[in-house]
Amino acid sequence: MAPLLNGYTNGASRHLPEDPSIVASRFSDIPSQIDIPVTGLEAEEAVEVNLEELLDDPTELCTLLEQEGVGKHYWMVIALAYAKQAKVDHAIEILSKGLGTLNRGNPKEKLGPLSLTCWLYLWKSREAPRVIPEGQPVTETRLKDFYLQAATGCLNEASRINPAFPPLFLARGVLYLLRASLQPPSKAAAPGAPDISDRVDTLRQSIKCFEDALRVSAGRNMMAILGRARAYFSLGKYAEALDGYQEVLLKMPHLQDPDPRIGIGCCLWQLGHREEAREAWERALDLNSDSKIANILLGLYYIHDSSHYATTDPAFGPIYKKAMTVYTQKAFKLDKELPLTCATFGSYFMMRKSWATVDNLARKAIEHTDVNAVASDGWYLLARKEHYQDRPDLAKANDFYQKADMARGGGDKGYLPARFGLVQIQILQRDFDGAKFRLEKIIQQSKSTEAMMILGALHAEDVFRSQVSGIKEDKSAEVRKAITLLEAVRLAWKDPQKKLTPDTSVLVYLARLYETDQPDKALQCLQQVEQMMINDMPNKEPPDGVEADEPWAAKLREQLSPQLLCDIGCFHFNMERYDQAREFFQTALNACVKAGEKDDGIDTDALVTTISYNLARTYEAAGLLDEAKQVYEGLLARHEDYTDARTRLAYIELRQNPTEDGPKAMAALYETDSTNLEVRSLFGWYLSKAKKRAPNIAEDQEQRHYKHTLQHYDKHDRYSLTGMGNLYLTTAREMRRDTDQDKEKRRKTYEKAVEFYDKALQLDPRNAYAAQGIAIALVEDRKDLTAAVQLFSKVRDTVKDPSVYVNLGHVFAELKQYSRSIESYEAALTHNRASDPQILACLGRVWLLKGKQDKSPSAMKTALSYSHRALALAPQQIHFQFNIAFVQIQLAQLIHILPESQRTLDDVIKASEGLEEAIESFGEIAQSKNPPYPRHDIEQRANMGRNTMRRQLERAVQNQTEYEEKNAAKLQEARDLREAEIRRRAEEKRRMEEQKEVEKQKIREERDKMAQLSRELAEKRAEEEKRRDEAEYTTDEEGERVKRTKKRKGGKRKKKGEDSDTGTEAGDGGEDKAAKKTKKKKKAQSTEPSSAMGSSNEDGVAKSKKKRKRLARRGGKEDKFKSQEMIVDSDSQDDDDRQAAAQLTNGQASNDEDGDTQMRDAEDEDGETVTRQKPRKRVIEEDDDDEDDEDEEEEEEEEEPSNKTTAEADAEEHGGHTGASFADNPHGNPVDESVGAAGDAGARELAMSGAPTVVS
């Protein structure tokens, strides 16, 4: 049932009386004194007992009652008086003695005292401890269960006397409720399976007892309804419980003890209506300000509300203070033994680390409560107390956490904070597997972000421990799990409804997990940590007049952790963002100084040393070697034994002075720190660059150095293993391969190199240099180019070294994928190798191969350009000079074989010049001391160019000259033709545009004429309408314009031959009309309309054609009924009407209305009357109510005599009109109908439609 916000059911009774005496309280019916009748005295005398000042020992009073043999009423009233003063034990003692005296009477007299004794035992049960208090002997302590058994005995005895005694039902229901509170909650059953635990069965029995109590009371027992609602609440049926509490409040709105509003609020809370629950509890507090339950429940509401804010949020403090000081503290003052208040206050003292107070309050909550959830809170407080000690007793804490969990059912229904505490205890006990298992169960049930955070941290710690220990174990699954869980927590921070506070530890874990594979994401995590720390600063906003720019941000960073700034700088360094890395390292140094000023306990010297070294490495990587040397020397001034700084200084000297100071610095370093593996590695690199090539690998100095390192210092030194592989690889590449024996020896040397590389990869699977060596061996030994490309591609994603791109270029060149090879070589040039002549020579070679493949002179010219650049960087290298000559020879050969259409004379001439330079270069190379190829071969190539190719190019020059001359003439001719065609098309286009312009001008003139004609017609129509209005209206006696009226016809007819008022103008038309009047017995004739525009003869008399038609009867006989007669129009008449309409439409540019106006104006100008036959219905008027309309039509006909036809005049002569019915023709002869075309727009439209007319 939904809570009613405007009635009693939400706990807000708006019509309570102001008189508090109406509200009943407990024991209000107990009198202040009672008179006990005494035998032997006069009948009216009795012993008066003051029930407000009772004796501490009721023995004397009980003796009096026994001697006098009073009834049960006296025993019960006195017992209740003691109970009213909270002396329950004395009340039970009195009732027990009273029951002894009642044994001699009627057994039913014992029902009341037994029932009262049962209630008193139930009262004692609620006050008794749940478990044995600490420090008390077991024999002297009576627990709740003892009093419940005593109450059960009383009920059983009463039930044997009368099981249908009504008070027993209610007492038994309460007994079952209290018994269920001592039973552990049921564990989660399988989905769909019924809950058959003892606690659920006990609660169901209590519901049955309460329903029996309601039945016998005809539904008036409110305590039974409250008990049933309480049982439903314990079963988790909160909606049914809410209905019960609301029913009580509706029936008894003044009830305050117990207050149903408390139950309503609890049900609403469980149903998720937090605000409505608060309103119900506040209403209960309004009615009774000393309600300890309402106070503590409101305190819990505000504690829950404060949990939505972080403790650092300004909104947290006021809400939490209100919860503790306004409500919880007041509830505790009202009743210091209330279990719920004790449990709530215990959490407050837990934060203040008042361990003794926490222990006292927690044990009170456990011992005195009859609610399992409150007992769970008490056990949880004890567990936290033991957990948070400086020397925690983990065994006790674990036991208390388990009891707190079991008090709420355990398993899936247990107490989540207690289960979380168990996880923490397992972590402290280093039971990580058990903690992970429990956390996974928690996450499956609740999706707790705290559980996901700890589980992700545990998986991450496993990965980090594996990395530190060097255990070769695949931890990729743990990495994925940790990242998934921690990212889920990070995503939950963005949900505004959860109001979670971000935790920097989550981001730090993610940064460490992303560090190897996804450094960009790791950097984002650290930057988010930086921003969170800046946001938490109290003075993060710049002062007035200072802009929030980069200098201000750097100043704020100086207040952050130096370790964080150093880590961010390292990520920028690895991403080759040296400027940003330098800024962060410098800021980190400043932060170290400020951190040392704030806390003297911080070892700032170690931080400054590490950050300064990183700063020097950044200077070195950025090419600022002098600044790097200055920082390294500063470090050595503070720490003379800093080997890493000395190593970097020796390396810088080798780069700056490879022949003098560099070797000296290297020798001094190796002499002092020859046992340091980093120093030995640098010395091995130095030997590889400065040694002389030895004919035998066993005599090589570098090989001896690496071997000595592996044998005497560290057999797993990865740099020495990789260096040994490089030595054997280089040796195998230079070995002879003339015979099979040489080939076999060469293959074994490659295998030896691969063995060293493989060993290095076993120690470090991410050793990209070893993987690259294996790929080179595959290419050179087995020619497995495809596998080599895959290896090099993986190495390229790991190592940002130019050698990787150079090797990829070699492989792609071998695969004849010259475009990809060029891309790889150019990528190598961008990695600080722009001045490497070897890469430039490789690019020249690939462009040469591409030019030969594509027969592209431009590609060969590019190859020649790269070859010139390589020679410019190393002019002493004679093989670069040979490369230039060779490319020039190849370019000359390509130009010679190309068709004349694909080359130019300039290309041939330049190729000839290059050939001459190549011949000269070959001669010089052949005469050098160490030519790259045999002198004989070089001289032969020069002779071939001098003899053969020179003549070929001379002929090519002649042929190309003739071709281009002929081609130039053809091109000129084609160019002239094209220009002529362009001119012709332009002229034609111009003529067409002029023609179109003339046509447009004609159209504009025609439109102007039509517009002018339309304006003239509109003016004429306006004048015509004005004349018609003047003819239709007149001025009355008062001077107002009124419509002309016509006298009703039917008066005296005019004689034949007299002029009619409505007759036509003088002329032939009038004569025809007079002639027709003499022929009344003949059929009426209609005039045929003339042409659309009409015609006039010389004397100005209109002659119109006439066409007559007959109405023929079927069968040749006259019909009896008029409705059977039909007028049929001829088709020719319809065609004429359509032609006239078409002429009117086509002759005008405006709409039909303008055309009609033009027709009428034209007729008026000629002074002629053009009649048109138009089909029209003949309607037999059955209603005479429209006579006024007919009269108006007749008046209009009389006012326009010039538009009347002859037939209309005849009809008017006889007192009819053109639409007369058959009643006007007594003989029933068919009548030909026609109307005038002019002056009747509606009739004209019907005539143009050409539809036949039917007379009904």
Side-chain angles (χ1 to χ4, degrees):
M1 178 178 178
L4 302 178
L5 300 180
N6 56 354
Y8 298 135
T9 50
N10 68 338
S13 178
R14 295 179 298 172
H15 305 288
L16 291 178
E18 297 181 357
D19 187 3
S21 61
I22 299 177
V23 180
S25 60
R26 295 190 183 186
F27 303 106
S28 60
D29 55 345
I30 303 300
S32 60
Q33 60 185 11
I34 188 173
D35 295 334
I36 301 175
V38 181
T39 58
L41 299 176
E42 295 181 2
E44 295 181 357
E45 294 185 1
V47 177
E48 181 178 324
V49 178
N50 189 350
L51 298 181
E52 295 181 352
E53 297 180 358
L54 295 171
L55 301 175
D56 294 337
D57 187 3
T59 303
E60 184 179 350
L61 184 59
C62 291
T63 302
L64 175 63
L65 294 176
E66 289 177 354
Q67 290 176 355
E68 299 301 328
V70 297
K72 64 178 181 179
H73 172 70
Y74 294 94
W75 294 95
M76 296 176 64
V77 170
I78 294 174
L80 287 172
Y82 272 97
K84 183 178 181 180
Q85 299 181 9
K87 300 177 181 179
V88 184
D89 293 332
H90 292 333
I92 294 174
E93 181 183 353
I94 292 172
L95 289 174
S96 299
K97 292 181 179 180
L99 286 171
T101 61
L102 295 175
N103 286 334
R104 296 183 295 271
N106 187 0
K108 292 186 177 181
E109 293 294 324
K110 299 169 60 177
L111 289 175
L114 284 172
S115 176
L116 180 56
T117 304
C118 175
W119 282 107
L120 292 176
Y121 278 129
L122 294 177
W123 187 356
K124 290 289 292 183
S125 172
R126 297 204 64 183
E127 295 180 349
R130 186 186 187 97
V131 295
I132 299 174
E134 188 177 4
Q136 292 187 7
V138 179
T139 56
E140 297 179 2
T141 304
R142 291 183 177 181
L143 304 179
K144 292 181 179 291
D145 189 63
F146 171 81
Y147 292 105
L148 291 180
Q149 291 179 4
T152 304
C154 294
L155 282 176
N156 292 338
E157 185 178 354
S159 298
R160 286 193 292 270
I161 298 173
N162 183 10
F165 186 57
L168 298 182
F169 295 119
L170 185 62
R172 187 175 287 109
V174 175
L175 175 64
Y176 281 128
L177 271 180
L178 294 177
R179 184 175 295 169
S181 67
L182 298 180
Q183 296 171 344
S186 59
K187 294 185 179 181
D195 194 345
I196 56 175
S197 63
D198 294 339
R199 180 174 180 273
V200 173
D201 185 61
T202 304
L203 290 172
R204 289 173 179 170
Q205 290 180 9
S206 69
I207 292 174
K208 183 177 181 303
C209 294
F210 290 132
E211 289 177 348
D212 291 339
L214 279 174
R215 175 176 51 79
V216 298
S217 66
R220 293 191 297 272
N221 192 336
M222 296 297 102
M223 296 299 106
I225 299 176
L226 288 174
R228 183 180 63 182
R230 178 67 178 82
Y232 277 131
F233 187 90
S234 299
L235 286 172
K237 299 180 179 180
Y238 306 114
E240 291 84 346
L242 179 62
D243 292 341
Y245 288 122
Q246 288 175 338
E247 181 182 355
V248 173
L249 189 60
L250 285 171
K251 293 181 178 179
M252 294 186 66
H254 309 298
L255 182 62
Q256 297 181 18
D257 188 18
D259 195 342
R261 300 167 187 82
I262 302 296
I264 289 173
C266 293
C267 293
L268 291 172
W269 182 276
Q270 294 293 339
L271 292 172
H273 306 290
R274 314 286 189 190
E275 296 301 322
E276 290 80 356
R278 177 185 57 80
E279 292 175 2
W281 294 332
E282 287 178 347
R283 181 55 183 164
L285 199 61
D286 292 341
L287 298 177
N288 183 11
S289 60
D290 294 334
S291 173
K292 55 186 178 183
I293 302 297
N295 274 287
I296 189 59
L297 288 176
L298 282 172
L300 290 174
Y301 166 82
Y302 285 106
I303 290 175
H304 177 269
D305 190 22
S306 67
S307 66
H308 295 152
Y309 302 93
T311 55
T312 57
D313 196 320
F316 172 81
I319 299 175
Y320 188 77
K321 183 178 180 181
K322 183 178 182 180
M324 300 308 298
T325 59
V326 177
Y327 296 107
T328 306
Q329 189 175 12
K330 183 178 181 181
F332 186 73
K333 290 179 179 179
L334 292 172
D335 187 0
K336 296 182 179 180
E337 304 297 326
L338 184 65
L340 184 57
T341 307
C342 293
T344 306
F345 240 148
S347 62
Y348 169 75
F349 287 106
M350 176 69 67
M351 293 187 296
R352 302 185 62 179
K353 296 184 178 181
S354 301
W355 307 124
T357 307
V358 172
D359 186 83
N360 183 26
L361 294 174
R363 293 193 180 278
K364 282 184 179 181
I366 295 170
E367 294 167 2
H368 296 94
T369 186
D370 53 1
V371 179
N372 290 317
V374 178
S376 175
D377 292 340
W379 291 118
Y380 182 67
L381 284 174
L382 290 177
R384 291 177 64 194
K385 179 184 76 71
E386 295 295 337
H387 189 180
Y388 292 166
Q389 299 287 340
D390 295 335
R391 294 182 178 180
D393 189 345
L394 299 182
K396 277 188 177 181
N398 188 72
D399 181 52
F400 290 149
Y401 278 133
Q402 288 181 350
K403 288 183 178 180
D405 185 42
M406 294 304 297
R408 278 185 163 90
D412 297 342
K413 296 175 63 177
Y415 192 33
L416 180 61
R419 295 163 65 188
F420 201 75
L422 286 171
V423 170
Q424 293 176 323
I425 296 298
Q426 287 177 318
I427 293 174
L428 292 176
Q429 294 174 346
R430 307 194 67 80
D431 182 12
F432 299 120
D433 294 335
K436 290 178 184 177
F437 177 77
R438 195 180 294 272
L439 286 170
E440 288 175 354
K441 297 289 289 183
I442 293 174
I443 293 172
Q444 290 176 0
Q445 297 160 10
S446 64
K447 302 296 182 184
S448 170
T449 55
E450 291 83 1
M452 289 189 288
M453 188 187 307
I454 292 185
L455 183 57
L458 289 176
H459 286 301
E461 289 294 339
D462 285 347
V463 176
F464 302 151
R465 281 195 298 271
S466 176
Q467 293 175 353
V468 173
S469 62
I471 299 175
K472 297 178 183 179
E473 186 177 356
D474 186 13
K475 291 292 184 179
S476 57
E478 284 75 7
V479 172
R480 288 193 297 270
K481 288 180 181 178
I483 290 176
T484 301
L485 292 168
L486 295 176
E487 284 290 357
V489 175
R490 190 180 178 187
L491 183 62
W493 296 343
K494 301 178 181 179
D495 190 352
Q497 297 180 353
K498 295 182 179 180
K499 296 181 179 179
L500 297 177
T501 303
D503 192 343
T504 56
S505 61
V506 174
L507 297 170
V508 173
Y509 273 117
L510 282 172
R512 292 188 63 185
L513 292 169
Y514 284 135
E515 180 180 0
T516 304
D517 296 329
Q518 296 174 301
D520 53 340
K521 289 188 176 181
L523 179 59
Q524 291 176 3
C525 294
L526 293 180
Q527 289 173 340
Q528 187 174 354
V529 173
E530 175 195 3
Q531 189 61 43
M532 289 168 57
M533 290 184 174
I534 291 176
N535 293 336
D536 293 338
M537 291 180 182
N539 54 352
K540 62 182 179 181
E541 297 297 334
D544 296 338
V546 179
E547 297 182 359
D549 51 2
E550 188 61 29
W552 175 254
K555 188 175 181 180
L556 291 177
R557 290 194 187 101
E558 293 178 358
Q559 305 178 28
L560 301 179
S561 169
Q563 295 90 335
L564 174 63
L565 298 174
C566 182
D567 291 341
I568 295 176
C570 290
F571 277 107
H572 283 301
F573 178 85
N574 292 332
M575 295 178 182
E576 300 180 0
R577 303 170 185 168
Y578 302 123
D579 293 338
Q580 299 181 23
R582 184 173 64 252
E583 292 176 2
F584 273 94
F585 289 139
Q586 290 173 345
T587 307
L589 288 175
N590 298 333
C592 288
V593 176
K594 293 190 175 182
E597 295 174 355
K598 294 179 181 178
D599 188 0
D600 297 337
I602 299 178
D603 186 7
T604 56
D605 182 67
L607 287 173
V608 169
T609 302
T610 303
I611 297 171
S612 298
Y613 179 80
N614 292 338
L615 179 60
R617 291 285 290 117
T618 306
Y619 283 134
E620 187 180 346
L624 304 174
L625 300 182
D626 294 335
E627 289 82 351
K629 287 177 63 177
Q630 184 178 359
V631 176
Y632 287 136
E633 290 171 355
L635 287 173
L636 290 174
R638 297 170 56 189
H639 302 281
E640 296 180 357
D641 56 345
Y642 197 178
T643 306
D644 291 338
R646 296 184 62 198
T647 303
R648 299 311 304 178
L649 276 175
Y651 175 73
I652 292 175
E653 290 293 342
L654 285 172
R655 288 185 59 184
Q656 290 182 337
N657 302 300
T659 57
E660 297 179 2
D661 295 339
K664 294 179 182 179
M666 188 69 249
L669 175 64
Y670 187 71
E671 183 179 355
T672 56
D673 294 312
S674 60
T675 59
N676 188 294
L677 292 178
E678 293 295 330
V679 175
R680 298 189 67 86
S681 299
L682 180 61
F683 189 70
W685 174 82
Y686 167 69
L687 292 177
S688 67
K689 299 296 183 181
K691 71 179 180 178
K692 294 182 179 181
R693 185 176 302 175
N696 189 0
I697 190 173
E699 300 175 358
D700 189 270
Q701 294 181 1
E702 185 182 4
Q703 190 267 351
R704 289 179 178 179
H705 174 73
Y706 291 144
K707 186 176 181 180
H708 189 263
T709 302
L710 294 172
Q711 288 178 349
H712 300 285
Y713 293 97
D714 186 4
K715 65 178 181 180
H716 297 307
D717 183 34
R718 290 167 290 181
Y719 187 87
S720 298
L721 291 170
T722 307
M724 290 289 285
N726 292 336
L727 281 173
Y728 279 97
L729 184 66
T730 305
T731 303
R733 184 184 299 122
E734 296 175 355
M735 292 177 66
R736 299 175 61 88
R737 63 195 87 175
D738 298 336
T739 63
D740 293 340
Q741 185 178 1
D742 293 338
K743 293 179 180 178
E744 182 65 20
K745 186 177 179 180
R746 183 172 180 268
R747 184 184 63 79
K748 289 182 179 180
T749 307
Y750 274 118
E751 290 179 355
K752 190 71 174 177
V754 171
E755 288 178 3
F756 282 107
Y757 289 138
D758 185 62
K759 182 64 176 178
L761 284 173
Q762 290 177 10
L763 295 171
D764 182 12
R766 296 181 178 275
N767 192 333
Y769 298 99
Q772 185 175 202
I774 292 177
I776 294 172
L778 288 174
V779 174
E780 295 181 355
D781 183 27
R782 302 181 183 179
K783 303 299 181 182
D784 191 354
L785 301 176
T786 304
V789 168
Q790 295 177 358
L791 285 174
F792 283 130
S793 299
K794 293 180 180 179
V795 173
R796 178 188 57 190
D797 299 335
T798 306
V799 179
K800 305 299 183 183
D801 191 81
S803 61
V804 183
Y805 295 95
V806 173
N807 291 326
L808 272 174
H810 294 339
V811 177
F812 285 131
E814 292 295 329
L815 290 171
K816 296 184 180 181
Q817 299 179 13
Y818 301 122
S819 298
R820 300 183 67 180
S821 176
I822 292 170
E823 292 176 2
S824 299
Y825 287 135
E826 290 177 348
L829 285 177
T830 58
H831 287 73
N832 298 327
R833 298 287 290 273
S835 59
D836 193 334
Q838 297 293 340
I839 300 177
L840 293 172
C842 291
L843 274 168
R845 173 177 173 272
V846 176
W847 276 108
L848 176 64
L849 295 174
K850 182 176 176 60
K852 292 176 67 175
Q853 184 186 46
D854 300 339
K855 294 183 179 181
S856 171
S858 61
M860 286 196 175
K861 292 177 183 178
T862 306
L864 185 61
S865 173
Y866 278 114
S867 299
H868 278 294
R869 289 174 59 185
L871 181 62
L873 293 173
Q876 71 278 6
Q877 300 292 334
I878 196 169
H879 59 278
F880 291 155
Q881 187 178 358
F882 177 84
N883 291 342
I884 294 174
F886 183 78
V887 174
Q888 289 172 336
I889 289 289
Q890 296 294 323
L891 179 59
Q893 290 179 352
L894 179 62
I895 292 296
H896 172 257
I897 64 174
L898 283 177
E900 289 84 353
S901 59
Q902 297 181 11
R903 66 188 184 188
T904 63
L905 181 60
D906 185 58
D907 292 338
V908 180
I909 293 173
K910 288 183 178 180
S912 180
E913 294 174 356
L915 177 62
E916 296 299 331
E917 293 177 2
I919 294 171
E920 184 179 354
S921 297
F922 282 142
E924 294 177 359
I925 294 170
Q927 299 299 325
S928 64
K929 294 181 180 180
N930 297 315
Y933 294 97
R935 290 186 177 87
H936 179 69
D937 294 342
I938 298 175
E939 291 175 354
Q940 281 187 349
R941 187 173 293 275
N943 292 331
M944 181 186 68
R946 190 179 296 110
N947 299 325
T948 306
M949 296 187 63
R950 181 182 290 172
R951 290 194 297 269
Q952 291 176 349
L953 287 179
E954 289 175 355
R955 290 194 298 269
V957 170
Q958 296 177 0
N959 296 336
Q960 188 69 24
T961 303
E962 296 176 359
Y963 170 79
E964 291 189 359
E965 290 176 355
K966 294 179 181 179
N967 192 42
K970 293 180 180 179
L971 288 175
Q972 184 62 35
E973 183 180 358
R975 193 178 295 111
D976 295 340
L977 293 175
R978 179 172 179 78
E979 291 177 357
E981 179 67 18
I982 292 173
R983 287 194 298 271
R984 186 189 63 80
R985 291 181 180 180
E987 182 65 23
E988 183 178 358
K989 183 178 180 181
R990 186 184 60 78
R991 288 197 305 270
M992 292 179 64
E993 290 178 354
E994 291 177 355
Q995 184 177 359
K996 289 181 180 180
E997 185 62 29
V998 172
E999 293 177 356
K1000 289 180 181 180
Q1001 183 64 26
K1002 290 182 179 180
I1003 293 173
R1004 283 195 295 269
E1005 293 175 357
E1006 291 178 358
R1007 287 179 179 176
D1008 294 340
K1009 291 179 180 179
M1010 293 171 64
Q1012 181 65 26
L1013 181 60
S1014 298
R1015 286 193 295 270
E1016 294 175 358
L1017 291 176
E1019 292 174 358
K1020 291 180 180 179
R1021 182 174 61 183
E1023 294 176 0
E1024 175 65 23
E1025 299 223 350
K1026 182 178 180 182
R1027 289 196 303 270
R1028 189 177 301 167
D1029 290 343
E1030 292 175 354
E1032 185 176 356
Y1033 289 88
T1034 185
T1035 304
D1036 59 1
E1037 297 176 355
E1038 297 178 357
E1040 295 181 357
R1041 290 181 60 82
V1042 296
K1043 193 174 183 179
R1044 296 178 183 272
T1045 58
K1046 181 182 178 182
K1047 296 181 180 180
R1048 187 175 298 276
K1049 296 182 180 182
K1052 181 179 179 181
R1053 293 187 177 181
K1054 293 184 180 182
K1055 296 181 180 181
K1056 296 180 180 180
E1058 291 182 3
D1059 294 337
S1060 175
D1061 295 337
T1062 60
T1064 59
E1065 296 179 359
D1068 295 340
E1071 296 175 359
D1072 292 340
K1073 181 176 180 182
K1076 288 179 181 178
K1077 288 182 179 180
T1078 60
K1079 302 176 180 178
K1080 292 182 180 180
K1081 292 184 180 181
K1082 292 184 179 180
K1083 295 181 179 179
Q1085 297 177 354
S1086 62
T1087 60
E1088 183 178 355
S1090 61
S1091 62
M1093 299 298 297
S1095 59
S1096 59
N1097 49 14
E1098 295 178 355
D1099 55 357
V1101 180
K1103 296 181 179 180
S1104 60
K1105 287 188 176 182
K1106 297 181 180 179
K1107 183 177 180 181
R1108 299 180 181 275
K1109 59 180 178 180
R1110 288 182 173 274
L1111 299 178
R1113 300 189 187 93
R1114 294 185 179 180
K1117 296 182 179 180
E1118 193 177 41
D1119 293 318
K1120 183 177 181 180
F1121 300 101
K1122 293 186 289 183
S1123 61
Q1124 294 180 354
E1125 299 177 358
M1126 180 178 298
I1127 299 173
V1128 180
D1129 295 339
S1130 63
D1131 295 337
S1132 61
Q1133 181 65 32
D1134 295 340
D1135 295 339
D1136 294 339
D1137 293 339
R1138 293 190 188 98
Q1139 292 175 2
Q1143 291 175 1
L1144 287 172
T1145 304
N1146 296 332
Q1148 304 294 333
S1150 60
N1151 54 14
D1152 293 340
E1153 184 176 0
D1154 295 334
D1156 296 340
T1157 305
Q1158 181 181 1
M1159 175 65 74
R1160 289 193 300 268
D1161 294 340
E1163 293 171 355
D1164 293 339
E1165 290 174 359
D1166 296 337
E1168 299 174 355
T1169 301
V1170 181
T1171 60
R1172 297 180 59 183
Q1173 181 178 357
K1174 185 170 184 180
R1176 183 175 180 183
K1177 286 185 180 180
R1178 295 187 60 189
V1179 182
I1180 301 176
E1181 299 290 343
E1182 297 180 356
D1183 192 354
D1184 296 336
D1185 294 336
D1186 298 330
E1187 291 180 357
D1188 295 338
D1189 297 337
E1190 294 177 1
D1191 292 341
E1192 291 177 2
E1193 292 177 2
E1194 292 174 356
E1195 290 171 3
E1196 291 175 1
E1197 292 174 357
E1198 289 179 357
E1199 289 169 0
E1200 296 178 355
S1202 61
N1203 295 331
K1204 302 288 185 178
T1205 61
T1206 306
E1208 290 172 332
D1210 290 341
E1212 188 176 345
E1213 182 74 16
H1214 292 285
H1217 54 81
T1218 57
S1221 64
F1222 283 121
D1224 296 331
N1225 190 354
H1227 300 287
N1229 295 330
V1231 179
D1232 185 13
E1233 295 178 342
S1234 62
V1235 294
D1240 194 348
R1244 184 166 61 254
E1245 291 175 359
L1246 286 175
M1248 292 171 65
S1249 65
T1253 303
V1254 179
V1255 179
S1256 59

